[in-house]
Amino acid sequence: MKKSLVTLALAGLSILIVESASAQSSAAQNVTLTVNTVYKISTSGNPSSMTVTTGTAGTDALSSVSDNSTTYSITQNFGNTVKVAANLDAALAAGYTLQINMASTKGTSAGTMDISSATSGSAVDVVTGINRGADAGQMVTYTFSALASAGMLSSTNKTVTFTLTN
Amino acid sequence: MKTQKLYKAKKISKTLVAVLMMAAGLHAQSSSAQQSIILRVMELNKLGLIGGSLKLTIDKIHADQFAPTPAVNANTTLVWTSNGENKKITVASSNTNPKYALRAAPQEMSPGAGKAASVVSFSDNKNHDFIVGVNRSAGKCVIQFTAAADVKQGIGIDTHVITYTITSS
């Protein structure tokens, strides 16, 4: 009789354990991760005004002036063929030249490029082959020059647009 | 069968979404930034002389002439640059009362850089037009100095400090 009671008790415990085990449950979620293409370019501000004030007697080309007080920064995750192109809102008149040189550690600087005639339809590549990642605080150097034969130029505001693209 | 079709449809739609996402990623995208630049060219006028001080000595005379042979020197070159309009170059001597005649003439003018005015005789210390019609140009000319004396004037020395000025016409 006593043995039967022990057996019964064990059987009851087993049922409880089975019930406890069968109470476990699971759920699944699909998590979709997406990183979109990111292109970001910014500049540190505007350069100082550039004024040609002197030249050499007997020489048509006046003494050029430069400014390297600003920088640009980029971030992109697209690939290794990204470039920066630059253009003016409108071309400069003949006899005036605006050149730009943009340093780069993630890509290849094109060196000093003439953007005097570069407009939105004819932007000039200034940095090419930019690798994925970020390149911050790279120097932008402008050089402005003029010919005496072009005459004087009253204060003229130009907008330079930098486009980061593939 | 219906379940299989539903599964296939879901798979196709998922693939389509993925392709669209990839296409969006591959599509040319760009970002831009702008800088504002102020450019200006001031009016400037520059003059320079190539050749230093010069000495003209009148020391020849032919027996059948009443006046000694003038001394000529053309070793000075005047150069200029101006981005202004209607400019002229004047010349003046510091000698208010020279004993001997001294003349200066611009020669071998750069084409299009101005026009030679008349030969200047330095008999006072006033400004005389030397080159006129300088408009947004760089040019040069040789200056030929001629010193002349009369026998009656005897021997002596004249000193001139010649000043060139580029100014508005």
Side-chain angles (χ1 to χ4, degrees), chain A residues 121-137:
Chain A
S122 57
V124 171
D125 291 349
V126 287
V127 182
T128 57
I130 301 170
N131 293 317
R132 273 193 203 100
D135 203 3

Side-chain angles (χ1 to χ4, degrees), chain A residues 34 37 39 41 45-46 50-52 54 56 58-59 70 142 148-149 151-153 155-158 160-162 164, chain B residues 21 25 28-44 46-48 80-83 136 138:
Chain A
T34 305
T37 305
Y39 286 95
I41 183 167
N46 296 320
M50 287 182 278
T51 305
V52 172
T54 190
T56 302
T59 305
T70 61
Y142 289 101
S149 52
M152 295 173 284
L153 182 69
S155 191
T156 300
N157 201 331
K158 287 289 175 188
V160 181
T161 301
F162 302 106
L164 181 68
Chain B
M21 284 173 73
Q29 294 184 14
S30 64
S31 167
S32 65
Q34 291 187 327
Q35 283 189 316
S36 182
I37 299 179
I38 297 171
L39 306 174
R40 190 179 182 196
V41 180
M42 305 289 281
E43 179 180 322
L44 62 94
K46 291 282 181 181
L47 279 176
W80 65 90
T81 293
S82 174
N83 64 354
R136 300 191 299 188

Side-chain angles (χ1 to χ4, degrees), chain B residues 30 126 159 168:
Chain B
S30 64
K126 291 179 180 172
T159 302
S168 295

Side-chain angles (χ1 to χ4, degrees), chain B residues 37-91:
Chain B
I37 299 179
I38 297 171
L39 306 174
R40 190 179 182 196
V41 180
M42 305 289 281
E43 179 180 322
L44 62 94
N45 302 290
K46 291 282 181 181
L47 279 176
L49 285 169
I50 301 170
S53 298
L54 54 97
K55 185 184 285 186
L56 291 106
T57 304
I58 301 168
D59 56 3
K60 291 187 180 77
I61 186 166
H62 290 285
D64 58 346
Q65 290 180 329
F66 292 103
T69 304
V72 178
N73 182 298
N75 294 330
T76 304
T77 299
L78 177 67
V79 293
W80 65 90
T81 293
S82 174
N83 64 354
E85 295 183 9
N86 297 319
K87 301 295 177 184
K88 65 179 181 180
I89 298 170
T90 62
V91 63

